Amino acid sequence: MNVNQSAPPVPPFGQNQPIYPGYHQSSYGGQSGPAVPATPYGAYNGPVPGYQQTPPQGVPRAPPSSGAPPASTVQAPCGQNTYGQFGQGDIQNGPSSSAQLQRLPGSQQFGSPLAPVVSQPPVLQPYGPPPTSTQVTAQLAGMQITGAVPQAPTPSGLGYGPPTSLASASGSFLNSGPYGSYPQSQAPPLSQAQGHPGVQPPLRSAPPLASSFTSPASGGPRMPSMTGPLPPGQGFGSLPVNQANHVSSPPAHALPPGPQLPGPPAPPPPMHSPQQPGYQLQQNGSFGPARGPQPNYESSYPGAPTFGSQPGPPQPLPPKRLDPDAIPSPQLNELPPQQKTRHRIDPDAIPSPIQVIEDDRNNRGSEPFVTGVRGQVPPLVTTNFLVKDQGNASPRYIRCTSYNIPCTSDMAKQAQVPLAAVIKPLARLPPEEASPYVVDHGESGPLRCNRCKAYMCPLMTFIEGGRRFQCSFCSCINDVPPQYFQHLDHTGKRVDAYDRPELSLGSYEFLATVDYCKNNKFPSPPAFIFMIDVSYNAIRTGLVRLLCEELKSLLDYLPREGGAEESAIRVGFVTYNKVLHFYNVKSTLAQPQMMVVSDVADMFVPLLDGFLVNVSESRAVITSLLDQIPEMFADTRETETVFAPVIQAGMEALKAAECAGKLFLFHTSLPIAEAPGKLKNRDDRKLINTDKEKTLFQPQMGAYQTLAKECVAQGCCVDLFLFPNQYVDVATLSVVPQLTGGSVYKYACFQVENDQERFLSDLRRDVQKEVGFDAVMRVRTSTGIRAVDFFGAFYMSNTTDVELAGLDGDKTVTVEFKHDDRLSEESGALLQCALLYTSCAGQRRLRIHNLALNCCTQLADLYRNCETDTLINYMAKFAYRGVLNSPVKTVRDTLITQCAQILACYRKNCASPSSAGQLILPECMKLLPVYLNCVLKSDVLQPGAEVTTDDRAYVRQLVSSMDVAETNVFFYPRLLPLTKSPLDSTTEPPAVRASEERLSSGDIYLLENGLNLFVWVGASVQQGVVQSLFNVSSFSQITSGLSVLPVLDNPLSKKVRGLIDSLRAQRMRYMKLIVVKQEDKLEMLFKHFLVEDKSLSGGASYVDFLCHMHKEIRQLLS
């Protein structure tokens, strides 16, 4: 069957389908930009704060001083992690990129970052006529340079030194402070080539990142000392420097022999200081005042004035070669204080996530995404788009790391791009898209391949006039049963193809027959059991009263099937502390009855009849019980709790009722009472950054895994709501929810007035969402690849079946594929995900998702069809699972190495030849470094001093089943300016990059990452804005830490509250609001989420990490 065949004129299944007039499928990535000629101009070679700069040859460095003082931390109130990151003076208002990005073909490098038009100072150059002033107009999408004189290529044989790279090549990370930038009081290293005749006052700008530059030895003939090119990655006179702990040190290259450059006599060699490995940067001293760094000169040039002497008479200027590196940096002492710490790489010059997201929205948001064509890359997860299913599953159900996979395993190993799919089988669709059709084949059940058991789908080929079909997964030829027979048309397609969802759609459902059911009998409707901790902590905080009050109304909203009048789900109630209390709420009783089980070591259910009931029948008794529970335990003094026996009891109750279901557990403290599953406090911060750190993520005992396995067998899913005031060992308590497909919610230091809205919102959503129970999922593939690894919240008893006691519309299963044979470009690679589950009404169903991918023999095709967001989702899950068995440092190094290998392979095999000093990234992966750096800086892999062990375990299990849209905003938060867009605009304000440089003290910003929501208020915000939003007359009167905005009747207040509501509606969890004032102690918590900046826990800034990545790539290439 031809998967590329267009749909017939009639809408399928008698449904009115929206018509999209004049629709055409655009090529991936929108319109490609104009081809930009390869320019002979150069890559960035200037120093970057955080990288050691080399002194001129013959001038050894001064001895180092002691390391930077430790950053102090501020203690936050209970329940708030104070993620620290101190500002560097005032808030810098960074420019937002004005250059419009255009998406270029995959092999296009990105060009010079210079946004302004710059008039260049002359550069000493030995040949050609004198130039006129040259303009540099640079866009990120490609360097376009115009000048009065056409640029001739450099004559061969001229005296130029070896290619140089981004400053990372010759420098290295320091240990003083995170990637050690210069302290404000200290001048950057002295550069010899300042003040040579003819240099105008320097202009503030930045050298480009990805244009090629071969560094001349600052003009003049070839230096006599250079007997051959330096080893790769080594600038003139560079010295190996000790590196930070997570960077693998390159071998130290010796300097080539030869006479020293002119200069003063050398002082004795420097000593290494114990506090700060490496060399201290040169201070003011006998060589005259230290001036600002000049990025165009790496070392001295013959005839340069020596330090401390007067410049000689002006020499005639040689002709000028346009060299982006010749644009001097601003002198440090000429800058206002808040600009002294600016990077010499302009942050606007490096790939911007905001720009890429914006471009994709503009290029691909208006047209529907039609799934009929094999191997199409869908729009980004951040783009709103409609999907028309024409034979492949919607990207809402399946997203892949690449939609064009290598034909051979050798090619896959060479590229190192993981081949994975993030599958969300029960994903919720927007209202404009139809849910999967349900197909009922009666007693015969769905049609399958006899050999590989793949289900009938649009990818199957019918032959012999329709009497047989060939399986596209294993090529087996099967007979078509008589009742399923239909004739073929002239194209070989069945004439009823568009009347049958399984022959024309990528996603659909089959009703399962009794053969697909446990014990060969149809299942009963599932049950919900609410299990409430009534120990002293839960009563004291008001949690029990709040919960009981909410349940009275919430039970009316249990999930129901289709148009059912009421839910088929039955409910039961248990309370517990050291013992368990079961309640009989049978409809015939006048009052509920309580039964206590104190033998927690041998758990049993004391009643069958009356424990699980229909809500509408037992409404009065349930309401009476929920009124009584808070009063019954109001005076309790019992502080100890059990945990494992509670889950055991719920599972036994479901087993006795012969149904699947879900336990909702509300728990407050570490279970230290004598009982199975008793835990001890093992929180030990001293283990961080040691080989034993992994034990903090592992469960304390095997008993919980055993319990989880029993729960999965029974179809008992566990959702855990935690309300800890101190360590509760989330790593152990979350084992059962994790393995049963459940969720964990955590409310540290719960207080009703502050956390009520968040808890109740999460609870309502959790109880109301549709869940598939007692589920089994299998992913089948066509010959040549197979599923080898799985990530998510589930249990596996064999190597192929993913078992889920419960699966909801938020959970994903990530599957990695490996080659076991050669693939062909012609037939591509096929995936079929089949999920067998019980619906909320007790119906057994099969949900099928099919996806066809392209295969390639050229690496360029692989790199052109990758999706970075999915790649990061996979890499984060891979790393977060890795910390269970390996030291965190090893996990971080593995990620960096893999990323470098992916980009180095592209550079070597796909990019057009250019200087090694150039950083060239594939168009589809240009955000890989910034996103990967966010994963490396996350609390699991690099915790700050304030991040608790429980927080890390919580985030680790949370990310394991996140979908691509959630990981995207979780690792790179959205920062939205609230006061810049017009008040009457209904759309979201355009986001800005997550960096302190982008904050203006006259504005208000909203930051969200899917779990947290901040409103940051600048100190100079207009009084009218403060009044409109906070109902106070000045900035100083705003309450810091405020968690709710006042409801005011003015356009700004309505707009901001509406925006907050719409953001909360998009996310899986309720985001609690925190108002943060500029320069307030809470600001450190907010700055933790400005992920493009350095973090206090030692994470690199985006610019530093990009330079480091470039160095790693160059090492691999050399």
Side-chain angles (χ1 to χ4, degrees), residues 428 559 662 743 745 765-771 808 810:
R428 281 190 294 275
K662 186 183 261 197
S743 308
Y745 298 84
R765 189 188 165 103
D766 198 56
V767 168
Q768 291 174 38
K769 65 186 172 190
E770 290 199 15
V771 182
D808 59 53
D810 301 333

Side-chain angles (χ1 to χ4, degrees), residues 45-230:
N45 191 29
V48 181
Y51 294 89
Q52 198 102 5
Q53 194 185 359
T54 52
Q57 260 175 284
V59 189
R61 303 169 195 252
S65 65
S66 63
S72 61
T73 56
V74 178
Q75 276 306 113
C78 179
Q80 283 166 351
N81 306 339
T82 318
Y83 301 102
Q85 173 160 342
F86 293 103
Q88 301 161 322
D90 297 338
I91 303 295
Q92 162 73 25
N93 305 340
S96 58
S97 176
S98 55
Q100 274 297 307
L101 259 178
Q102 286 180 307
R103 296 190 84 149
L104 293 179
S107 62
Q108 184 71 40
Q109 64 209 39
F110 37 87
S112 150
L114 307 167
V117 174
V118 176
S119 171
Q120 291 258 116
V123 181
L124 294 175
Q125 203 69 319
Y127 297 98
T132 58
S133 165
T134 307
Q135 286 187 326
V136 180
T137 310
Q139 265 123 353
L140 189 58
M143 200 161 116
Q144 296 157 354
I145 299 187
T146 55
V149 181
Q151 179 66 44
T154 310
S156 56
L158 291 189
Y160 289 97
T164 55
S165 77
L166 278 159
S168 57
S170 59
S172 185
F173 294 103
L174 296 176
N175 271 339
S176 62
Y179 288 13
S181 59
Y182 312 123
Q184 290 187 11
S185 59
Q186 179 183 319
L190 193 61
S191 174
Q192 269 192 330
Q194 282 152 345
H196 67 78
V199 171
Q200 285 112 21
L203 293 150
R204 177 144 181 262
S205 91
L209 180 66
S211 41
S212 58
F213 165 55
T214 325
S215 83
S218 304
R222 191 184 186 91
M223 291 164 46
S225 65
M226 298 306 288
T227 52
L230 285 177

Side-chain angles (χ1 to χ4, degrees), residues 911-934:
S912 45
S914 56
S915 145
Q918 231 171 341
L919 174 58
I920 300 179
L921 303 171
E923 178 64 21
C924 290
M925 287 191 188
K926 63 185 178 193
L927 298 182
L928 189 60
V930 61
Y931 285 163
L932 183 73
N933 189 36
C934 296

Side-chain angles (χ1 to χ4, degrees), residues 886-927:
S886 308
V888 172
K889 177 187 178 307
T890 311
V891 173
R892 292 167 51 83
D893 289 347
T894 306
L895 279 184
I896 292 173
T897 307
Q898 181 170 19
C899 180
Q901 282 172 327
I902 290 171
L903 298 176
C905 175
Y906 173 80
R907 174 66 193 261
K908 183 176 173 187
N909 299 290
C910 309
S912 45
S914 56
S915 145
Q918 231 171 341
L919 174 58
I920 300 179
L921 303 171
E923 178 64 21
C924 290
M925 287 191 188
K926 63 185 178 193
L927 298 182

Side-chain angles (χ1 to χ4, degrees), residues 757-759 761-762 1010-1011 1064 1067-1073:
E757 196 179 353
R758 179 174 156 229
F759 163 56
S761 177
D762 285 343
L1011 296 181
R1064 282 174 172 160
R1067 303 296 170 212
M1068 308 307 164
R1069 311 240 164 161
Y1070 182 89
M1071 298 183 289
K1072 180 181 168 185
L1073 176 71

